[in-house]
Every structure is written in C-alpha cells, then in structure tokens.
Amino acid sequence: MLFYKEDIERIKRSVLTDPVAKTSYDDIINRANSLLSSPLLTYGLDEAKLRISNIHQICNNQMPYLVLAYIFTNDNRYALRCWQQLEIMCQFPDWGANRHFLDTGIAAKGIALAYDGLFDYLNPNQK
C-alpha cells in the first residue's frame, strides 16, 4: 500500500551509505525494540468520556514503527507484537464513531497499515 518491495530494498541499501537514512532507520528499530517489552494497551476513555486515548498511541506511535521494523528486518518479533496489540484493539467495544470521528479514522488507518505491512506474516484466520 505504501511501498513496493523495491523501495524497501533501496532504503535498506541506503542505510549502509547515507548517514541521514541510517539515523532514521536506527530510530525506527530502537522505537520498535522499546515497544517489544512495553505493556499492551487497552480500551479506555479520557476524562471527558469522549476520546479513546490509546487509539492514538497504538496507531500513531506503535504500529508504524513495529510494521516498518518488521518490513526492514523480517524479524517476526515485531510482527507478533504488532499483531498482539492489533488483536486487542479489534476487541475494543467501539472505536469512538459515536463520540469523536477522528478516533475512528485513526484506528482505521492503523489497521490498514498493520494489515498491509504484516500481510505476509498473518495467517488466513488473522486476515
């Protein structure tokens, strides 16, 4: 959805010679590594009972790093961790459509990113 396999291979080659690419790559891997041991996030509304705070954390600050780390390294630890969080999120009683449409949009974006990035990892039941 976001990249072709050729793009990923080009990025991985550029990390070897381009210091900016190497810094970005290392940041992605370091963030993904820190997520491997962080607690899985659950459903909960903010104090105003309007927003699902963890949707933003999951979809904006976790899934992109885990998916990219998996795509770059082919290390199943990243895919598994992303799947575990995705599975919890798919069990949420709602994604906030009745209260705040942005939560729903952010959740849909996160699911799409994870589904696309982990497609080769996911089994038919997970898909």
Side-chain angles (χ1 to χ4, degrees), residues 13-73:
R13 283 191 309 273
S14 72
V15 166
L16 301 174
T17 59
D18 181 344
V20 174
K22 174 78 169 127
T23 299
S24 296
Y25 177 89
D26 288 346
D27 183 54
I28 290 166
I29 300 302
N30 289 335
R31 286 181 186 225
N33 284 339
S34 72
L35 292 169
L36 293 175
S37 60
S38 68
L40 293 164
L41 301 177
T42 58
Y43 182 86
L45 298 177
D46 64 5
E47 290 180 18
K49 304 291 186 224
L50 180 65
R51 311 282 310 266
I52 306 168
S53 303
N54 283 339
I55 279 185
H56 300 265
Q57 184 68 14
I58 294 165
C59 296
N60 293 331
N61 300 329
Q62 291 190 0
M63 285 187 184
Y65 295 102
L66 292 165
V67 167
L68 284 172
Y70 171 68
I71 290 171
F72 289 152
T73 66

